[in-house]
Amino acid sequence: MSDLLHTPLHDLHLSLGARMVPFAGYAMPVQYDKGVIAEHRQCRASAALFDVSHMGQIRLGGPDAAAALETLVPVDVVDLGAGRQRYAFFTNTGGGLIDDLMVTRTQPDAAADFGDLFLVVNAAGKAADLTHLNIHVGHRCHVAAMPDRALLALQGPKAVQALSRLNPGVATLVFMTGGVFDLAGQRCHVTRSGYTGEDGFEISVPADGAVALAKRLLAQPEVAPAGLGARDTLRLEAGLCLYGHDIGPGTSPVEAALAWAIQKVRRPGGARAGGYPGAHAIESHLQSGAPSRRVGLVGLERVPVREGAELSDAHGRRLGRVTSGTIAPTVDRPVAMAYLPQDHAQPHAEVWAEVRGRRLPMRVTPLPFTPHRYHRG
């Protein structure tokens, strides 16, 4: 643990009784004294504060930034309006996913501080993503990491009540929009988004002001701290992918059931179709279908089915493996995600998971397992 990087909130986590674990090169809180299930329920019922400062924050500047980024992602960035946010992913030449990310077109008055485009990328891939951007679009726009900033996620149905006490203006945001707000004396970039399926906010704050802001938020009656354990169960219930587990360089966005993120203008026949790595493979999947698809599974017996469990059909023929799995606290049932061949990926189809020598029945079910409750206005 002594060799791991620390976020600006490290000492605060320890003072709150966090159990720290290694994650993506950082010492991160996996849970606090009340435990993962209590933190999970806190987020679903009220508001939970997560430290996600290990994530990468990157700014792209210049009039060509959006068009440049479109050469690396199959997503419409050029038409993204000021203050709007979009989910995207970097692709490789085979159509697989290098990383997924969030992209916000900043308001004009924020561009000097946060770039014309503000990106949040995964912790494990942030150095590679920065290199990828510099190599491929660094000649077209300014690319800069933002290591002097922390990132907090305030999630849950009462997150807006808590954050509005610090600045009432945040309540004007709707899902997947963002802006700059003063919070606890700090100039912060705030988006109404998150990774839990609940309403909530992600807050980019100067690193030297992160502890003060976190303490102000934790002082609100709706808010309690939550760690990586609850973050994982929440995102799995919400049917959201974890890079390196549910998606990776060998899966296309169509296989990963992420084709919804590819707008019409970037699809075959669209005005700006193609022009990104792996376009031929992804367009082939869009037009003709992919051989497999990410699906949700619900266990028919009360036994957790974890990542890596092999899946087979009724005759014992191997179909795939589980990419994420747990007993979901909200639905109180074993749930999982997996890739299955198209002929087994239909709702209500049954497969069998191999768990410690037992074959456990599971049923394909639509995602998410728990309805999203985003604030869309």
Side-chain angles (χ1 to χ4, degrees):
M1 293 288 285
S2 61
D3 296 331
L4 296 172
L5 298 171
H6 292 176
T7 75
L9 300 184
H10 181 81
D11 290 345
L12 178 61
H13 296 315
L14 297 179
S15 72
L16 294 171
R19 181 161 70 86
M20 309 298 285
V21 298
F23 185 81
Y26 285 78
M28 296 294 294
V30 67
Q31 66 178 69
Y32 297 84
D33 290 343
K34 292 184 179 179
V36 171
I37 292 177
E39 293 167 21
H40 180 110
R41 291 175 175 161
Q42 170 75 23
C43 185
R44 290 277 185 248
S46 189
L49 183 66
F50 300 85
D51 179 12
V52 289
S53 302
H54 58 312
M55 305 283 281
Q57 300 180 63
I58 301 173
R59 49 175 290 177
L60 304 186
D64 202 29
L69 184 58
E70 281 198 2
T71 66
L72 299 179
V73 301
V75 171
D76 178 8
V77 184
V78 168
D79 298 327
L80 191 61
R84 297 283 175 176
Q85 186 180 47
R86 186 156 282 166
Y87 175 72
F89 26 76
F90 295 125
T91 54
N92 59 30
T93 55
L97 301 171
I98 296 175
D99 200 4
D100 60 344
L101 62 149
M102 301 297 284
V103 182
T104 305
R105 169 93 72 171
T106 58
Q107 299 283 2
D109 62 346
D113 294 317
F114 299 97
D116 294 281
L117 297 175
F118 173 61
L119 279 54
V120 177
V121 301
N122 282 302
K126 62 185 178 182
D129 290 345
L130 189 65
T131 299
H132 186 63
L133 286 162
N134 273 310
I135 289 173
H136 295 286
V137 301
H139 61 292
R140 296 181 58 179
C141 61
H142 179 68
V143 180
M146 304 173 72
D148 57 344
R149 300 193 71 84
L151 193 65
L152 306 180
L154 183 67
Q155 299 285 294
K158 296 182 181 179
V160 65
Q161 294 172 226
L163 193 59
S164 292
R165 292 195 191 96
L166 278 63
N167 188 324
V170 299
T172 64
L173 295 175
V174 295
F175 182 56
M176 298 296 274
T177 66
V180 174
F181 299 86
D182 289 330
L183 300 173
Q186 303 294 322
R187 181 172 164 84
C188 300
H189 190 281
V190 181
T191 59
R192 199 158 189 173
S193 60
Y195 193 47
T196 63
E198 296 291 336
D199 185 21
F201 302 87
E202 294 198 341
I203 307 164
S204 174
V205 55
D208 57 7
V211 170
L213 176 57
K215 287 181 175 179
R216 285 286 301 277
L217 292 171
L218 290 169
Q220 306 306 312
E222 301 87 357
V223 182
L228 293 175
R231 186 168 161 85
D232 193 53
T233 55
L234 289 158
R235 69 91 193 166
L236 178 51
E237 283 189 343
L240 303 176
C241 296
L242 176 61
Y243 190 84
H245 299 258
D246 308 294
I247 54 176
T251 53
S252 85
V254 180
E255 289 175 305
L258 298 175
W260 57 266
I262 305 175
Q263 291 72 32
K264 186 176 179 180
V265 71
R266 301 304 311 276
R267 291 174 176 243
R272 297 196 309 281
Y276 57 87
H280 176 75
I282 292 171
E283 289 180 347
S284 174
H285 281 181
L286 286 169
Q287 292 178 309
S288 305
S292 64
R293 183 160 55 88
R294 179 176 61 94
V295 300
L297 297 171
V298 172
L300 303 185
E301 296 184 16
R302 195 174 171 78
V303 179
V305 180
R306 307 291 187 187
E307 177 181 352
E310 297 287 338
L311 298 171
S312 60
D313 64 12
H315 305 288
R317 290 181 294 229
R318 186 182 181 279
L319 299 174
R321 65 176 186 86
V322 168
T323 57
S324 291
T326 191
I327 291 185
T330 305
V331 298
D332 196 29
R333 298 177 71 181
V335 301
M337 293 193 295
Y339 284 84
L340 292 175
Q342 287 288 359
D343 59 346
H344 286 82
Q346 306 310 311
H348 311 300
E350 289 193 5
V351 297
W352 278 258
E354 187 80 18
V355 177
R356 293 189 293 275
R358 294 179 61 195
R359 295 182 79 230
L360 300 176
M362 305 193 81
R363 181 171 293 146
V364 176
T365 188
L367 293 169
F369 301 107
T370 300
H372 295 160
R373 297 197 290 181
Y374 304 131
H375 178 70
R376 300 183 184 274

